[in-house]
Amino acid sequence: MSHNDRRLHREAALVAGRPAPHIPPRRVKAHRIKDDGEAIAVARELAREFAIGAAERDRERRLPIAEIERFSQSGLWAITVPKAYGGAGASAVTLAEVTAIISAADSSIGQIPQNHYYMVEALGLAGGEAQKAHFFARILDGDRLGNAFTEIGTKTPVDFKTRFRQQDGKLLLDGQKFYSTGSLFAHIVVAVAKDEAGRVHLVFIDRATPGLDLVDDWSSFGQRSTGSGTVTFDDVEITPFQIVDHDGVFERSTPMGPFAQIIHSAVQVGIARGALAETISYVRAHARPFFELSIEHGYEDPHTIHAVGDVSIRVHAADALLSRAGRLLDVTRENPTEGTVAAASIAVAEVKALGTEVAQLASTKLIELGGTRSTLESYGLDRFWRNARTHSLHDPVRWKYHHIGNYYLNGLLPPRHGAI
């Protein structure tokens, strides 16, 4: 594609969406969370705040800019920075629980930092010492990383046309991304791009860099306020210091894959928790008894009681699998071998599979047990199902069952990539 073609392509994308919100440079340093216990306590406090207005944000497709600023300034976006670099070095168990707590309140907000955490982990596994010192310090101070990973119009979601090349003594990056969750809110956009040899890298680019454009054109029926739209790069000048090898973290045994997936799993578990809590609250307050029954309240209906019991068991099972997966992932992060990585990947796949099913079940039962009035737009209860269904498409659960079955039945280790 010629430079002029790239420019026209970029301009077409910009016309199709809304301008990206203005994210001013960070003025104050974020709070630094000391340990896992503080991280959980802060997440619970924020979840209570984020639950207020979640339905309205979804209905209006309003980007949670103030909420994301509050979220990152709380220090939670830096909890996985290693202790050696001044961070809390939080466990995978804690990161998953923080994500589930926030996602139960608003799953769009819960998903937004997923790629931020992914890039922090990638820096730790593949970054040079100078890169780690520089970017970890910025993250601890409150800078947010955004994702520019997947493209549309390619054969598969992991085919990349975005590339950087040497030209006139400069390194120039060109391409266009979609599903760029987090980038609208980011201080640093992280592009996944190939070099001239076809090797995949992560490129860390400051938001204000000339040639980088962000477009708010996300129009999905679910996860409406994640801002997962388009990022374009038009002859963006970069330096070797901004580049981190991405292929290498999957060419050897590392926890990169299950680390990425446990956060997505926690989003689903959080949606399930939120839908169950909303079901109990709504049924207790509003559900009417079936006319064949001689009872006073809808919550006395034996079928409703049974359904809530069934969903509760399944949500608690997903909770337990999430914690188990986190523990196995923490073992892997301490001792990454072929065996520990495989065990963690399968454990995370198990919770992703069950969590996805339970989130959709719980969100469906919310409407079923709530009755016709629960469908009114003013309640916004349909957002739980829409969010669960939309987020589940990030990577197909049907392939989780395939790899889980092959692992237990045939002793086959799962592949190493970011989707298991």
Side-chain angles (χ1 to χ4, degrees):
M1 183 181 291
S2 69
H3 176 78
N4 190 54
D5 288 339
R6 290 196 304 272
R7 181 182 58 80
L8 292 173
H9 192 206
R10 186 187 109 209
E11 289 176 354
L14 292 173
V15 169
R18 297 166 294 279
H22 173 63
I23 303 295
R26 176 181 42 78
R27 292 184 175 87
V28 296
K29 292 184 178 181
H31 171 69
R32 291 202 180 186
I33 287 176
K34 297 182 292 294
D35 54 37
D36 292 53
E38 184 184 2
I40 297 296
V42 170
R44 288 174 177 157
E45 177 186 347
L46 289 181
R48 287 190 288 271
E49 295 179 20
F50 295 162
I52 300 170
E56 182 181 355
R57 286 190 297 273
D58 171 83
R59 185 165 52 250
E60 298 177 357
R61 203 182 291 274
R62 176 159 51 84
L63 296 176
I65 297 171
E67 290 80 6
I68 292 301
E69 183 68 16
R70 176 89 170 90
F71 195 179
S72 61
Q73 283 292 302
S74 76
L76 283 175
W77 285 45
I79 58 173
T80 59
V81 172
K83 291 181 179 179
Y85 296 88
S91 69
V93 172
T94 295
L95 177 60
E97 183 61 18
V98 164
T99 302
I101 289 169
I102 299 296
S103 297
D106 185 329
S107 59
S108 285
I109 295 178
Q111 184 188 348
I112 286 168
Q114 189 274 336
N115 286 286
H116 169 96
Y117 292 123
Y118 180 92
M119 303 308 178
V120 172
E121 187 75 0
L123 271 170
L125 291 171
E129 282 305 311
Q131 291 173 315
K132 287 189 271 192
H134 173 79
F135 288 110
F136 285 159
R138 291 186 62 176
I139 291 160
L140 284 166
D141 285 347
D143 278 354
R144 299 183 291 267
L145 308 181
N147 139 66
F149 204 114
T150 307
E151 302 171 18
I152 53 177
T154 56
K155 181 179 179 181
T156 76
V158 293
D159 291 331
F160 306 115
K161 294 180 180 178
T162 300
R163 294 178 180 269
F164 57 89
R165 68 195 188 283
Q166 288 278 356
Q167 182 175 312
D168 300 327
K170 298 178 181 179
L171 272 178
L172 300 177
L173 173 71
D174 283 289
Q176 183 167 299
K177 300 288 187 175
F178 197 58
Y179 309 115
S180 302
T181 306
S183 284
L184 287 181
F185 313 94
H187 301 98
I188 302 170
V189 175
V190 185
V192 177
K194 289 183 177 180
D195 61 19
E196 291 175 292
R199 190 168 181 83
V200 178
H201 300 270
L202 304 176
V203 186
F204 291 71
I205 308 167
D206 282 308
R207 181 190 186 93
T209 302
L212 187 160
D213 281 298
L214 301 159
V215 189
D216 180 16
D217 56 355
W218 179 241
S219 60
S220 171
F221 67 63
Q223 296 295 87
R224 288 177 168 179
S225 56
T226 58
S228 303
T230 296
V231 180
T232 63
F233 307 96
D234 185 8
D235 282 348
V236 174
E237 187 172 349
I238 60 174
T239 68
F241 184 78
Q242 297 169 256
I243 301 170
V244 172
D245 179 48
H246 186 256
D247 276 347
V249 297
F250 295 109
E251 290 171 346
R252 64 186 194 278
S253 295
T254 75
M256 192 76 255
F259 182 89
Q261 282 296 301
I262 200 169
I263 306 171
H264 284 301
S265 303
V267 171
Q268 289 289 333
V269 172
I271 294 172
R273 290 182 190 177
L276 175 59
E278 198 71 55
T279 300
I280 293 169
S281 174
Y282 187 90
V283 168
R284 292 284 305 177
H286 301 297
R288 295 188 292 181
F290 189 54
F291 63 83
E292 291 184 11
L293 297 171
S294 56
I295 57 177
E296 292 297 318
H297 306 286
Y299 55 77
E300 297 173 291
D301 184 322
H303 294 294
T304 297
I305 292 170
H306 178 275
V308 171
D310 178 64
V311 173
S312 297
I313 291 169
R314 296 172 192 274
V315 171
H316 295 156
D319 285 341
L321 283 182
L322 185 65
S323 179
R324 171 179 174 267
R327 292 193 299 272
L328 287 173
L329 180 50
D330 283 327
V331 169
T332 303
R333 295 173 83 194
E334 288 293 324
N335 180 32
T337 67
E338 186 176 63
T340 61
V341 169
S345 295
I346 292 301
V348 172
E350 290 176 20
V351 66
K352 183 61 160 44
L354 182 63
T356 296
E357 289 186 2
V358 175
Q360 291 175 50
L361 173 66
S363 55
T364 296
K365 289 296 180 180
L366 166 58
I367 304 301
E368 177 187 332
L369 302 179
T372 304
R373 190 164 60 149
S374 69
T375 67
L376 295 180
E377 187 179 51
S378 57
Y379 291 116
L381 299 182
D382 60 311
R383 73 185 187 277
F384 289 97
W385 184 88
R386 289 187 287 99
N387 290 340
R389 180 71 274 182
T390 298
H391 180 263
S392 73
L393 303 175
H394 184 275
D395 47 273
V397 165
R398 59 187 178 273
W399 276 94
K400 309 293 185 190
Y401 289 102
H402 174 79
H403 292 306
I404 293 165
N406 254 337
Y407 180 77
Y408 289 119
L409 181 62
N410 299 316
L412 296 180
L413 302 187
R416 291 199 296 262
H417 54 62
I420 190 166

